[in-house]
Amino acid sequence: MLEGSRIMTSDPIAITGISCRFPGNICDTDTFWEFIVAGKDAIRPIPANRKSLSSLWSEIDDIPNYGGFIDNIEHFDAAFFGISPREARFIDPQQRILLELAWEALEDGGSPPNLLRGKNVGVYTGIYLDEYWDLQRYLIPDRLGIHTNTGGALSIAANRISYFLDLKGPSISVDTACSSSLTAIHLACQDIRSGLIDTALAGGVNLILNPQTSKGFQHAQMLSLDGKCKAFDKNATGYGRSD
């Protein structure tokens, strides 16, 4: 998640704060950089808490058993964000992570959130899949509640940040598949340059929660058998999925 501020149209956009979550237990940019410099690999077997979701479907044994996974996605300080425990259970972990990253990006940039309330600040999030919503709607329909739709809808990923921080700029969730995060940042930069907004929070999120999606890609022969991307390599067998 990035925080950027308005400047003169002819100047570069200033990134004033940044936050992240990546596989490999990466929760800050310093760790991310060290991970890259050391040439480490975050691809691993599917963790037990994710693999347990596969038991909810039949005939999914043919999907690769590897990928990039963020740990502790079930952890969330709902009270900090003014959300009841009841509602939090229905909220897509992707929305929860975006809330956390938005706050952390503001902290990293030294921007007190209370000073942004009511201000012309936009929120742009790249988000592709609503697999958590699928889990609720199709697997446990008897537990549908008043928070199911807002907890799963992709549009709410941006709206929830704007609501919590009381931001008055555009609040947009973008789905352009693999380029969703890049497109969200592009739109934020455009609106800063045009003068539509003064500051923006922009970024993206992706979590692998539904084995059916991987199954579809596997049937299309798109997935690497070991979960690793080997671009332009003779040993390439497909691409690897990751949070």
Side-chain angles (χ1 to χ4, degrees), residues 95-127:
Q95 291 187 26
R96 303 178 209 162
I97 289 174
L98 283 172
L99 275 171
E100 294 171 342
L101 292 180
W103 187 272
E104 291 174 17
L106 293 175
E107 284 188 324
D108 185 63
S111 301
N114 63 302
L115 297 184
L116 297 180
R117 296 193 180 279
K119 299 295 180 62
N120 190 25
V121 180
V123 178
Y124 305 79
T125 61
I127 185 168

Side-chain angles (χ1 to χ4, degrees), residues 201-235:
L201 283 164
V205 68
N206 182 70
L207 289 178
I208 301 173
L209 301 173
N210 184 336
Q212 291 289 66
T213 304
S214 292
K215 181 178 179 181
F217 288 142
Q218 177 66 6
H219 284 182
Q221 298 183 330
M222 295 169 61
L223 296 185
S224 168
L225 297 179
D226 61 4
K228 299 180 181 181
C229 298
K230 307 181 186 71
F232 311 111
D233 191 298
K234 65 178 181 180
N235 296 316

